[in-house]
């Protein structure tokens, strides 16, 4: 079975769901609900629906607290090769996060000679992953999928500080999205035209790699995570802008950290490689 990322919302939440084999398409709509609070919150995800069972029974779940001194440097890891292009993007509020979806040809992440195509990016606030027990202001997930359906995520953590230049570029559209949400159109899509992804193509001097899961239901496993070591900054206003279009139970949309269960977190470090 190949995986599929889906989108939807609240009462009819769009979910990341398992889909048919060999489809490179990440869009799969589910009419199931989950949230980040109370009865439908993370502690109960696994029992909300049989297809969500991995959320409670899975042994390699995400996110994790990355204890830096316990990460194992692996000199066989390569720099993360990313070749993102200018691409048309659509700003999407799927009800549980705000993200950008790309057309097919937006660029690739190359890991072990495998090309993973960038499909979408989305933000969580506060961060889902932690470094040494510290939860940051926000986290960006760049979700890639290869031709066989395997998923690789590149993740960046943000602490409060200067505005993030990439979010600045789309801030007027975020405001428009918030207005749509206020008008009751929560599952809004706003075309934002051609976006220069150069801003995301910074050098990767350090990253942490481990095998985990999607951090939203159905919590599908065997996702290859790559958490960049450099923490970037985001302004308070930008965090608010990312939350504004979301409903109350989704404004804080970080799943709690999950048990390591003996997994090794590997470290790539350009300076010592
Ligand atoms: C983006 O979409 C517009 C309108 O559909 C199209 O004219 C343009 O060529 C597209 N640009 C790229 C880089 O795909
Ligand atoms: C993988 O991506 C690189 C860089 O964009 C490209 O040169 C190469 O042809 C791609 N390989 C495959 C098998 O698509």
């Amino acid at each position: 079975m190949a995986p599929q990322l889906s989108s939807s919302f609240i009462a009819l939440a769009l979910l990341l769901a398992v889909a048919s084999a060999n489809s490179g398409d990440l869009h799969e709509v589910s009419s199931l609900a989950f949230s980040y609070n109370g009865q439908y919150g993370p502690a109960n995800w696994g029992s909300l629906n049989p297809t969500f069972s991995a959320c409670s029974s899975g042994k390699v779940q995400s996110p994790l607290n990355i204890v830096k001194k316990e990460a194992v440097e692996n000199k066989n890891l390569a720099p993360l090769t990313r070749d993102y292009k200018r691409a048309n993007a659509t700003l999407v509020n799927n009800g549980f996060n705000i993200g950008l979806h790309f057309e097919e040809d937006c660029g690739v992440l190359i890991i072990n000679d495998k090309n993973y195509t960038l499909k979408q990016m989305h933000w969580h606030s506060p961060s889902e992953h932690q470094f040494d027990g510290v939860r940051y202001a926000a986290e960006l997930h760049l979700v890639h999928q290869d031709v066989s359906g395997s998923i690789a995520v590149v993740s960046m953590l943000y602490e409060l500080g200067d505005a993030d230049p990439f979010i600045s570029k789309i801030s007027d559209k975020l405001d428009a999205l918030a207005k749509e949400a206020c008008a009751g159109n929560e599952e809004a899509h706003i075309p934002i035209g051609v976006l220069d992804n150069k801003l995301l193509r910074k050098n990767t001097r350090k990253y942490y790699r481990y095998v985990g899961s999607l951090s939203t239901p159905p919590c599908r496993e065997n996702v290859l995570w790559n958490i960049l070591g450099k923490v970037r900054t985001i302004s308070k206003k930008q965090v608010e802008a990312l939350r504004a279009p979301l409903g109350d139970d989704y404004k804080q949309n970080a799943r709690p950290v999950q048990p390591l269960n003996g997994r090794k977190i590997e470290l790539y470090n350009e300076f010592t490689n």
Side-chain angles (χ1 to χ4, degrees):
M1 293 290 277
Q4 301 251 342
L5 289 180
S6 50
S7 50
S8 103
F9 78 102
I10 316 184
L12 350 141
L14 270 184
L15 307 175
L16 298 164
V18 174
S20 62
N22 298 325
S23 162
D25 184 3
L26 288 173
H27 302 282
E28 168 90 352
V29 177
S30 159
S31 59
L32 304 167
F34 72 88
S35 85
Y36 287 89
N37 199 14
Q39 192 187 355
Y40 298 98
N44 297 327
W45 285 355
S47 51
L48 293 178
N49 185 278
T51 66
F52 293 0
S53 61
C55 301
S56 53
S57 65
K59 293 287 177 271
V60 292
Q61 289 287 296
S62 293
L64 292 180
N65 172 31
I66 296 170
V67 178
K68 288 183 176 177
K69 68 171 170 33
E70 285 171 11
V72 181
E73 187 166 351
N74 180 350
K75 291 187 188 296
N76 294 323
L77 291 182
L80 284 182
T81 307
R82 290 184 283 156
D83 184 16
Y84 298 150
K85 302 171 196 156
R86 287 164 62 87
N88 276 331
T90 309
L91 190 62
V92 176
N93 175 3
N94 63 21
F96 53 88
N97 63 42
I98 303 300
L100 295 176
H101 292 189
F102 296 102
E103 290 174 1
E104 220 33 49
D105 190 21
C106 172
V108 290
L109 163 72
I110 304 171
I111 299 176
N112 298 334
D113 295 328
K114 266 203 322 193
N115 281 13
Y116 292 83
T117 305
L118 179 62
K119 299 289 186 178
Q120 56 140 291
M121 61 174 76
H122 60 259
W123 288 269
H124 294 266
S125 72
S127 73
E128 299 206 295
H129 287 87
Q130 301 179 8
F131 283 141
D132 294 332
V134 174
R135 172 158 266 176
Y136 290 86
E139 179 167 346
L140 172 63
H141 291 161
L142 302 172
V143 183
H144 308 72
Q145 195 173 40
D146 78 355
V147 287
S148 72
S150 298
I151 292 175
V153 182
V154 173
S155 167
M156 302 174 204
L157 305 186
Y158 295 81
E159 61 189 356
L160 285 184
D162 290 340
D164 171 60
F166 187 81
I167 298 176
S168 294
K169 279 206 157 186
I170 59 169
S171 59
D172 56 331
K173 306 287 195 221
L174 276 171
D175 291 345
L177 200 61
K179 288 191 183 98
E180 294 259 339
C182 290
N185 182 13
E186 281 160 319
E187 195 185 359
H189 293 58
I190 295 186
I192 63 171
V194 174
L195 195 67
D196 191 346
N197 287 320
K198 248 196 314 231
L199 285 166
L200 294 170
R201 223 187 303 147
K202 296 203 178 123
N203 281 350
T204 306
R205 302 233 151 89
K206 210 186 228 191
Y207 67 84
Y208 297 89
R209 172 169 298 161
Y210 75 93
V211 176
S213 72
L214 297 176
S215 63
T216 49
C219 308
R220 177 183 170 265
E221 299 193 319
N222 290 315
V223 170
L224 197 57
W225 282 90
N226 305 273
I227 319 295
L228 303 195
K230 183 181 161 58
V231 174
R232 289 146 203 262
T233 62
I234 186 170
S235 69
K236 196 156 181 279
K237 215 175 141 200
Q238 289 181 320
V239 172
E240 282 161 9
L242 289 171
R243 288 179 175 178
L246 299 170
D248 284 346
D249 286 346
Y250 302 85
K251 287 189 192 295
Q252 306 236 2
N253 55 5
R255 186 188 194 194
V257 292
Q258 301 296 304
L260 196 55
N261 289 332
R263 278 175 284 178
K264 284 239 177 336
I265 298 177
E266 295 187 319
L267 167 67
Y268 165 81
N269 187 344
E270 183 189 86
F271 299 110
T272 53
N273 227 30

